[in-house]
Amino acid sequence: MASAEAMKYEESKIMLKYQTWYAFVWISTIVLYGVGLSSFNTELCFPLDVFFFITIIAAVFLAKVATNVPLQRIEYVREREPIGTVLISLGFLTDWAYQRKIPMLYPYQGFEVGVSENEVVGIPVLHVVLIGCAIYWGMYLGYLFICNPMKKQYLVELCVLIGLFIANLSRGYIVFMLFVPLLCYAAFHSHGVTKTKVSTIVAVFLCGLSIVFFISIMGNMRYGYSWHDCSFIERIGRYLNYPWWLSKHFMWFYSYVTSPLANLNLNATMPPNPLDIKGYVFSFLPGVFGYTSGSTTIHYITSYFNAVTGFTTFLRSGGLTGLYFAIAVIFVYYSLVRYFLRRCKALDTFGNAVLCLLIVGFVFYNSLRTAALCYLPIILIIHSFYMSKQVASGRVVVYPYQENDSYRRTEVNGR
C-alpha cells in the first residue's frame, strides 16, 4: 500500500506542476507549428529556438527539484448553498441587459486590430470581474464534483455556467474552465504510464477529440456557417496542403494553437522597438491599468488571428533580455503562490492545477495581464485563506485522496 501511494504522489508530481506544463505545452505547440499545415507557420527564428530550448530545459529541471503536490479531496460538512452560481447567473443577465442582447443570438462581426480591443463589451469593470469569477467558480465546481462524484448538484451548477458561456460566445473560456477539474481527475486516477487502464486512455482520447470538435462547431456557427462547414476557417487559415485523411474540424484547433506562435515569430523577426521600460513593467500588471505604450508596436500575421502568446509584449518592449527576465519573474510569482497554498493547506491540489492552467494560457496571451486569467491567483489566495478558516472551524474537511471511496479523514489543521 505504501509503494502504491508513493507511486501516486510521484505521478501527481508530474501532472500538477506548472513547470512541467510549461515544457509540455511549448514542446507540443512547437511540434504542431512545425508540421506547417497553415502557410502562416514560417520557420521559427533562431533566437526563439534558443529561448524555448533554454526555458524548457530549465522548467524540466525545476519540476524535478520542486516538492510534491499533495492529492487532496475536499468535502463540506453541511450542504453548500449555490449562492455563487446564482450571483454569477444574475451577473450575466445584467451584463446582457446592459448590452441589450444575448451574444449568441447575434452574428459575430469579427475582431479588428486597433478597433475591437477599445470597444466596451458589457458593463465596465463588472464585466471583467464577472468573467474572471465565473471561470474560477466553474473550475472550483468541477473540482468539487471530482472530489464528490455522488453530489450531482456540483455538476448541475457547472453545466449552468457552461451554458452561460456558450450564450456569451465564450467557448475558449469553457475549455479553460474544464481544464482544471480534468487535470485533477487525471492526477487522482493516475497509476503510471504502464499501469493505466485502456479504458482510461480511451476516455482521455475521446475527451480531447470532443474538445476539438466543440471548438470547431462553435467556431463555424459563430461566423454564421453550419456546424459541419469548415470552409471559412480553411480559407482564412490558409490551409493549402491539408492532408486528406485529417478531419477539417481540426483546423480551428490548429489555428488557435499555432497562430499565436506565428505572431510571436513575426515580431521576433521585425526590427526591434525602442526600449520601453514603462510598457515592459505594465506587461506584468492586469489590463485594468490600461496602459498601452506608444513606442511598442505589435505586429500580426493577420488582423483576425490576434493572439500573440504571453511573451510578445515582453519581447517588443524589453527585447530578448526582457524575454528571459519575464519568464524568470513569472516562475518566481507562481512559486510564491504555490508556497502560500502549501501554507494554507486547504486548496493545494486545486490551486496547483489552476497554476498549470495559467502557464498553458501563456500559449495564447499574457496570463498576467488578460482580464480572464490575471485575477485568478489573487482569487485563489483569498479563497485558500478563507477555506483554511473553514477547515479550522470544522465546516469543511480535507482528506488525502484514495481510490474506491476509501478515505482516511485527516483535517489539515492537524487536529
Side-chain angles (χ1 to χ4, degrees):
M1 180 65 182
S3 60
E5 194 67 22
M7 178 184 66
K8 182 177 288 294
Y9 272 87
E10 185 63 25
E11 289 298 320
S12 76
K13 181 176 181 179
I14 297 173
M15 289 187 182
L16 292 173
K17 291 186 177 181
Y18 66 86
Q19 301 97 329
T20 302
W21 276 94
Y22 177 88
F24 174 74
V25 297
W26 280 111
I27 290 174
S28 302
T29 301
I30 292 170
V31 169
L32 283 174
Y33 182 90
V35 173
L37 297 182
S38 170
S39 58
F40 284 124
N41 298 5
T42 58
E43 185 178 357
L44 283 182
C45 64
F46 182 71
L48 285 185
D49 284 330
V50 174
F51 170 75
F52 284 118
F53 176 79
I54 292 176
T55 56
I56 287 173
I57 294 298
V60 171
F61 172 77
L62 291 173
K64 185 71 175 178
V65 299
T67 56
N68 286 349
V69 178
L71 295 178
Q72 299 172 334
R73 65 184 291 269
I74 193 169
E75 182 176 324
Y76 286 82
V77 175
R78 296 181 180 179
E79 287 295 324
R80 184 194 58 83
E81 298 296 331
I83 183 65
T85 304
V86 172
L87 290 176
I88 290 172
S89 300
L90 292 175
F92 271 96
L93 294 175
T94 304
D95 205 46
W96 294 337
Y98 180 86
Q99 299 178 56
R100 297 183 179 180
K101 67 177 182 181
I102 298 177
M104 186 178 66
L105 302 181
Y106 287 78
Y108 183 62
Q109 301 300 318
F111 184 96
E112 184 178 350
V113 175
V115 177
S116 297
E117 63 261 38
N118 295 322
E119 294 180 355
V120 176
V121 180
I123 303 174
V125 180
L126 176 62
H127 178 81
V128 173
V129 175
L130 176 66
I131 294 298
C133 290
I135 293 174
Y136 182 87
W137 194 243
M139 295 188 299
Y140 183 61
L141 288 171
Y143 171 66
L144 288 178
F145 178 68
I146 297 301
C147 292
N148 307 274
M150 299 302 294
K151 295 188 176 181
K152 305 302 181 184
Q153 174 190 343
Y154 299 140
L155 181 60
V156 171
E157 291 184 55
L158 177 59
C159 290
V160 168
L161 293 186
I162 292 175
L164 291 172
F165 275 120
I166 290 176
N168 203 55
L169 289 179
S170 303
R171 63 195 185 283
Y173 296 156
I174 297 174
V175 176
F176 281 174
M177 190 169 62
L178 295 178
F179 175 87
V180 168
L182 288 176
L183 178 57
C184 291
Y185 177 85
F188 285 161
H189 295 276
S190 173
H191 295 279
V193 177
T194 58
K195 296 185 178 181
T196 300
K197 297 179 181 178
V198 175
S199 59
T200 301
I201 296 175
V202 172
V204 171
F205 174 77
L206 292 178
C207 182
L209 201 62
S210 299
I211 291 175
V212 169
F213 273 89
F214 172 76
I215 292 174
S216 178
I217 291 170
M218 290 294 292
N220 293 334
M221 296 176 64
R222 186 182 194 187
Y223 287 92
Y225 291 74
S226 61
W227 68 270
H228 56 82
D229 186 357
C230 298
S231 59
F232 179 69
I233 182 59
E234 184 175 14
R235 183 175 70 256
I236 68 171
R238 297 187 185 176
Y239 290 97
L240 303 179
N241 299 304
Y242 198 77
W244 62 267
W245 51 267
L246 185 60
S247 171
K248 290 185 178 181
H249 282 289
F250 184 69
M251 290 180 175
W252 279 106
F253 176 82
Y254 187 83
S255 289
Y256 281 145
V257 171
T258 64
S259 62
L261 183 55
N263 278 320
L264 175 63
N265 187 48
L266 174 64
N267 282 272
T269 59
M270 300 297 289
N273 287 322
L275 181 63
D276 180 11
I277 297 178
K278 186 177 181 181
Y280 186 81
V281 171
F282 269 80
S283 295
F284 290 100
L285 303 177
V288 68
F289 291 97
Y291 175 79
T292 303
S293 173
S295 63
T296 300
T297 303
I298 303 296
H299 303 275
Y300 301 87
I301 54 174
T302 182
S303 62
Y304 44 82
F305 287 144
N306 52 81
V308 291
T309 81
F311 297 122
T312 306
T313 54
F314 295 111
L315 173 67
R316 297 301 291 169
S317 60
L320 285 173
T321 302
L323 200 58
Y324 286 94
F325 182 75
I327 191 63
V329 171
I330 291 165
F331 273 43
V332 169
Y333 174 42
Y334 290 161
S335 294
L336 291 175
V337 176
R338 189 171 184 267
Y339 173 77
F340 185 87
L341 293 172
R342 177 58 60 90
R343 295 282 293 180
C344 287
K345 300 180 181 179
L347 296 177
D348 217 346
T349 302
F350 171 73
N352 277 277
V354 172
L355 293 179
C356 293
L357 168 67
L358 294 174
I359 282 294
V360 172
F362 266 90
V363 173
F364 307 98
Y365 33 60
N366 187 348
S367 299
L368 300 176
R369 186 162 177 81
T370 187
L373 299 179
C374 65
Y375 300 108
L376 293 185
I378 299 173
I379 298 174
L380 179 61
I381 288 174
I382 295 173
H383 190 203
S384 184
F385 180 77
Y386 170 78
M387 291 301 291
S388 68
K389 298 299 182 182
Q390 293 291 97
V391 170
S393 66
R395 297 185 180 93
V396 173
V397 179
V398 175
Y399 303 86
Y401 185 88
Q402 297 177 18
E403 289 199 76
N404 301 320
D405 294 326
S406 175
Y407 303 109
R408 178 173 56 85
R409 179 170 297 194
T410 304
E411 299 183 20
V412 296
N413 61 355
R415 293 185 300 155

